[in-house]
Amino acid sequence: MTGLIHSRRRFMVLSSATLAAAPWLASCASAEGGAAIPAKAIGMPWPNWGELPDSPPPEPQEGSVGFAVMGLGGYAIGKVLPALANGQRCHVAAVVSGNPEKAKKVAAAYGLPEDAIYSYEDFDRIADDDRVEAVYNVLPTGLHMAWTEKSFAAGKHVMCEKPMALSSEECARMIAASEAAGKKLMIGYRCHFEPFNLRAMELMRDGAVGQIRTIETAQQYRMGPTDVSENWRVVRALAGGGPLEDYGLYGLQSALYLSGEMPVAVKAVTEQPANDPRFAEIFSSVTTELRFPSGATAHLYTSYNDSPPSNLARVEGEAGVLLMDPATGYDGQKMTLTRDGVSQDLVPGDPNVQFARMCDHMAAAIRDGSEILTPGEMGLRDIALIEAIYRSAAEGREITL
């Protein structure tokens, strides 16, 4: 609860000071094709997220959908590749990377032949590779649109990592490219496949806490020393505004799928400390209030500059409280439902299944023609809301949606 109280106080103080956001993406340079992007900046300066397998995975099942993984950063190596290898209906069929040495090492670990290794320069030849039916785009956000369009032009389906793109216009282009190609587009919103969040959605639909009054979320940590030459997440042209698109998007999504509503108004405040190389181009924190048609409100806080780390969601209703802390991590989720003064810890499943389930969901949509749970339209919706949040902060007023 400390982080939530902290975020509310911060919003009141900053609102009274009428801090205005820097113009949203005003200086954002084109990242088409990845040109002029320092390789060091695209690297993932994070702790080790996982090792490569000691031996290649077993042969894929008949009818399994082959994915090319584009971008071999920490998340791709630690989460995406194992998820595809562990899925029931999908497998790793190729890798796409600008680092030949890394690409060869990853390909060998997953039993891929040399002709299943693609660079960005020769990516177009993937159009003739029948082993690959889909591309999982795990590049920095500023490269999502260009390489998603290239993937559709090559005749492949696309799973695009969140956030979908830098702007709603880019999202619309990606959706149009999907429709023109007649191929599927899915956004990698893993929490929609994670047992704790799925159970929380179900509880809210069933009225477990009664009429919802408030939703509070906090996603924060203190980013270590870095600058735009080292970390793509602090480069505006690659990451957008910063923590909101990256970490805070989980809080925004939580507010929407727990309330079951779309907001009618938004009010927000941003911070961007001076003379801090981490925040030369991006915001350090974003505080947001959402108003929903039912009268419920959501208070969202996200930051790259706060300790201790926090990742929680709390729903207070007229009949009880649901607390998830941690709420949207890769693992370690905890959930407590309190009604009539009695608290119950709920353990609906293993959070680690979210990655393989997400990839299998995409494979099922491709193979069976089933509906995608997290389509491009959802990604567009969220980016449009983020744009409204930044507009509210820049103009110092509530924005009616």
Side-chain angles (χ1 to χ4, degrees):
M1 286 296 293
T2 302
L4 296 173
I5 295 172
H6 170 71
S7 69
R8 287 198 295 269
R9 289 175 178 168
R10 179 182 296 269
F11 184 84
M12 294 172 64
V13 170
L14 294 177
S15 294
S16 64
T18 63
L19 290 177
W24 166 233
L25 288 183
S27 61
C28 178
S30 172
E32 290 285 328
I37 300 299
K40 189 177 182 183
I42 295 181
M44 185 73 75
W46 299 81
N48 186 0
W49 293 34
E51 301 292 340
L52 292 172
D54 294 329
S55 59
E59 288 292 317
Q61 298 182 20
E62 184 177 355
S64 176
V65 174
F67 280 74
V69 178
M70 174 182 282
L72 300 180
Y75 184 73
I77 290 175
K79 298 300 179 184
V80 173
L81 285 159
L84 290 167
N86 294 327
Q88 298 298 307
R89 306 192 66 177
C90 54
H91 65 276
V92 182
V95 293
V96 185
S97 175
N99 185 327
E101 182 179 354
K102 181 190 285 187
K104 289 180 180 179
K105 186 176 181 180
V106 173
Y110 282 88
L112 302 179
E114 192 166 328
D115 68 349
I117 300 173
Y118 293 86
S119 69
Y120 299 110
E121 288 74 21
D122 72 356
F123 175 75
D124 289 347
R125 68 181 178 87
I126 205 169
D128 298 321
D129 192 340
D130 293 336
R131 299 167 301 185
V132 175
E133 294 186 64
V135 172
Y136 195 138
N137 186 340
V138 204
L139 290 169
T141 310
L143 306 178
H144 282 179
M145 182 191 72
W147 287 96
T148 292
E149 288 184 329
K150 289 176 184 290
S151 298
F152 283 133
K156 309 303 179 183
H157 304 277
V158 177
M159 168 93 81
C160 184
E161 190 48 47
K162 68 86 190 165
M164 184 175 175
L166 292 178
S167 69
S168 54
E169 290 78 10
E170 289 189 351
C171 294
R173 277 185 57 173
M174 294 162 70
I175 293 170
S178 168
E179 293 172 347
K183 298 296 180 180
K184 304 286 188 180
L185 173 60
M186 177 173 168
I187 309 304
Y189 285 134
R190 56 181 174 78
C191 293
H192 288 262
F193 305 92
E194 190 278 311
F196 281 78
N197 281 274
L198 287 172
R199 180 61 176 144
M201 296 177 206
E202 182 181 35
L203 287 168
M204 295 304 98
R205 286 195 299 268
D206 291 344
V209 299
Q211 181 68 36
I212 294 174
R213 294 172 175 166
T214 61
I215 298 173
E216 299 182 84
T217 71
Q219 284 78 31
Q220 67 188 53
Y221 72 96
R222 187 176 297 279
M223 179 181 283
T226 192
D227 60 36
V228 295
S229 71
E230 295 182 334
N231 187 346
W232 72 265
R233 293 181 186 275
V234 300
V235 178
R236 184 171 285 266
L238 291 175
L244 177 58
E245 290 93 323
D246 178 24
Y247 206 17
L249 184 53
Y250 294 111
L252 177 60
Q253 275 249 319
S254 295
L256 301 184
Y257 60 63
L258 293 176
S259 69
E261 297 186 275
M262 282 292 291
V264 295
V266 58
K267 186 177 181 181
V269 176
T270 59
E271 289 183 85
Q272 190 172 10
N275 304 316
D276 188 327
R278 297 174 300 168
F279 308 115
E281 297 189 4
I282 66 167
F283 304 118
S284 62
S285 65
V286 183
T287 306
T288 306
E289 288 186 0
L290 303 176
R291 288 195 295 110
F292 293 101
S294 65
T297 59
H299 308 273
L300 321 177
Y301 179 71
T302 185
S303 177
Y304 279 161
N305 200 33
D306 267 304
S307 295
S310 180
N311 177 4
L312 61 85
R314 182 178 183 274
V315 185
E316 180 177 339
E318 61 184 6
V321 174
L322 179 74
L323 175 64
M324 301 176 67
D325 185 11
T328 58
Y330 299 144
D331 54 36
Q333 273 83 322
K334 294 182 180 179
M335 182 162 60
T336 302
L337 177 64
T338 301
R339 290 182 292 194
D340 300 323
V342 178
S343 295
Q344 178 185 9
D345 293 332
L346 305 177
V347 185
D350 179 5
N352 283 287
V353 303
Q354 61 187 299
F355 304 98
R357 284 182 177 177
M358 179 176 65
C359 294
D360 274 339
H361 179 78
M362 176 67 167
I366 293 169
R367 192 63 73 233
D368 305 335
S370 53
E371 184 175 353
I372 290 178
L373 185 62
T374 58
E377 287 77 9
M378 180 180 286
L380 169 59
R381 175 202 71 183
D382 293 347
I383 295 302
L385 284 172
I386 287 173
E387 288 173 335
I389 289 169
Y390 286 135
R391 180 184 168 200
S392 170
E395 298 180 3
R397 66 182 182 91
E398 182 177 83
I399 299 295
T400 300
L401 304 177

